[in-house]
Amino acid sequence: MRPSKNVGYENFTNLSTTVSQSSSVNLTVSVNTDGNYRADAIAWIDWNQDGDFTDNGETYDLGNISNVSNGALATKSVAVPSNAKVGATRMRVSARYNANPTSCQTNFDGEVEDYTVNVQGAVADTQAPSAPNSLTASSITQTTLTLNWSSSTDNVGVTGYDVYRGSTKLGSTTTATSYNVIGLTANTAYSFTVRAKDASGNISSSSNTASVTTLGVVVSYCASKGNRDTYEWIDYVSFGGMTNTTGKNGGYGDFTSKVATVAQGSTNQLLVSAGFRSSAYNEYFTIWIDYNKNGTFESNEKVASGNSTSSGNRSSNITIPSSASLGQTRMRVSMKYNGASTACETFADGEVEDYTVNITANTSKGTSISNIETLRDESGLDLMVYPNPTTNFIEVNVASKSDNITYSVVNTIGSVVKSGKMISRTLDVSNLKSGVYMIEVNDGQKSLRTKFIKK
């Protein structure tokens, strides 16, 4: 059936409800129709008690309802004005067939009902919103990220959210449930929380904590390697609790997965050693640590250097500057045959290895190992002849322990004037003409050369 015309109007002003200024309440109306009919429902509340429903903010459109025989509910949120007049006032609810009713309309298909609304002064809001939840961080970079969370609820209404990094308030939003955080430091851990607030200044408890670490700065390092590791290579490195024993690595070994941990201001012992195929040669070690983490091994970041003709461990005590940047950085260990390398050099014989050093702020005495020979500049050469200049004989001092050493003596025009197997380390050059000669010694692995003068 259509909205009933049997009654048309009912006075229910003996029924009342009480609301407070500045509060929010729900108005729910049930409308019955029968058949495929539409009913439009509108309510009015005379907030200023002037006897009409024509003032702004006194009309509430509940929409239309069709083809319902058992009653359908229409609900509208009603904001009670802060200046609503205190006392009893009239509320009118009207449902009209197939059209919107007006507040004083008569003679239509539908029904009108009047009720009483008692308005009281505003009640102090002391209820805090619920805590935000599901706080997460996304779009993380070195210096920025975005926080997102689920909205809070409140008895009156949430007016915004405060965002905290640790105990520091970063800023606020109005109703948005996201916040862009800027000005962060790369490769740093942070904790964030969010709290909701309402118009009365009530603050919720904190959300869950979102713990996040910003991305590290991407640093690239120059390449360095030995072109040949046939006869010598780095076979041991130890530093800051990290040890690594290796063989040949094709001239370069990336061991940045191995981390040495040292503290600002501490002194720590570095151990290095060379591996040889058979004979030992004069190898120069140079070590850098990128203390400022800028991707460059600067001159003041060369922490140790020295040469050795031994396969035994060599040590160097390294003091970490108190100004060194905290966090992980690169250490480069370079071993070059017969001369010191630069940080970005590609050289003939030897090897380069890279490691990670984690620099902390903790006070530490570092590590120290006694009875290890110090890495230093040694005076010994792979090949030396004396006396030089000479008259009759030269003594050939070669570092190689091979029993199959050959030699050749070449004059200034490139002719071989003397050669053979070196049975003795003393060579007779008395029959050579006066002049400058080059002697080349080969131990089956490498050829070594030096000059001498025949008087």
Side-chain angles (χ1 to χ4, degrees), residues 187 221 239 260-268 288-294 296 298 300-303 318-331 357-362:
N187 196 31
Y221 289 89
F239 185 59
T261 301
V262 295
Q264 290 173 329
S266 67
T267 299
N268 304 266
W288 297 265
I289 298 176
D290 183 18
Y291 286 131
N292 60 8
K293 298 173 26 175
N294 69 347
T296 302
E298 291 145 345
N300 62 345
E301 293 176 331
K302 183 169 73 173
V303 298
I318 297 174
T319 299
I320 308 302
S322 58
S323 60
S325 298
L326 297 177
Q328 294 189 347
T329 189
R330 182 73 60 95
M331 178 174 75
V357 174
N358 183 38
I359 299 175
T360 70
N362 297 330

Side-chain angles (χ1 to χ4, degrees), residues 128-132 149-154 156-164 169 171-179 193-205 207:
S130 63
W149 60 90
S150 297
S151 59
S152 298
T153 58
D154 186 64
V156 176
V158 175
T159 59
Y161 299 89
D162 293 333
V163 179
Y164 292 84
K169 181 180 173 180
S172 302
T173 71
T174 52
T175 57
T177 55
S178 65
Y179 187 86
T193 55
V194 176
R195 303 176 74 179
K197 57 187 178 182
D198 62 22
S200 298
N202 298 306
I203 306 295
S204 75
S205 56
S207 67

Side-chain angles (χ1 to χ4, degrees), residues 175-245:
T175 57
T177 55
S178 65
Y179 187 86
N180 294 322
V181 182
I182 61 175
L184 302 176
T185 301
N187 196 31
T188 303
Y190 294 97
S191 295
F192 298 94
T193 55
V194 176
R195 303 176 74 179
K197 57 187 178 182
D198 62 22
S200 298
N202 298 306
I203 306 295
S204 75
S205 56
S206 296
S207 67
N208 62 292
T209 299
S211 298
V212 59
T213 299
T214 51
L215 300 181
V217 175
V218 178
V219 177
S220 59
Y221 289 89
C222 63
S224 181
K225 65 173 294 186
N227 281 330
R228 183 172 64 173
D229 62 355
T230 306
Y231 305 116
E232 63 269 277
W233 55 87
I234 300 170
D235 72 351
Y236 183 72
V237 175
S238 173
F239 185 59
M242 179 276 300
T243 61
N244 190 33
T245 301

Side-chain angles (χ1 to χ4, degrees), residues 407-420:
Y407 74 93
S408 60
V409 178
V410 181
N411 62 20
T412 55
I413 63 173
S415 298
V416 176
V417 296
K418 189 176 181 67
S419 63

Side-chain angles (χ1 to χ4, degrees), residues 259-320:
V259 181
T261 301
V262 295
Q264 290 173 329
S266 67
T267 299
N268 304 266
Q269 189 171 65
L270 169 76
L271 297 180
V272 294
S273 71
F276 297 101
R277 176 175 169 178
S278 57
S279 297
Y281 297 102
N282 189 21
E283 306 297 336
Y284 283 75
F285 282 93
T286 312
I287 298 94
W288 297 265
I289 298 176
D290 183 18
Y291 286 131
N292 60 8
K293 298 173 26 175
N294 69 347
T296 302
F297 297 112
E298 291 145 345
S299 58
N300 62 345
E301 293 176 331
K302 183 169 73 173
V303 298
S305 62
N307 63 301
S308 172
T309 57
S310 169
S311 61
N313 287 344
R314 291 294 184 266
S315 69
S316 182
N317 289 326
I318 297 174
T319 299
I320 308 302

Side-chain angles (χ1 to χ4, degrees), residues 23-47:
S23 65
S24 179
V25 294
N26 286 332
L27 169 62
T28 300
V29 175
S30 175
V31 179
N32 289 331
T33 65
D34 188 8
N36 190 20
Y37 298 115
R38 162 181 162 173
D40 293 272
I42 294 180
W44 298 265
I45 303 176
D46 183 17
W47 293 120

Side-chain angles (χ1 to χ4, degrees), residues 435-448:
V436 178
Y437 293 87
M438 178 73 70
I439 180 171
E440 179 175 313
V441 176
N442 190 302
D443 66 352
Q445 295 184 156
K446 289 186 178 182
S447 293
L448 310 174

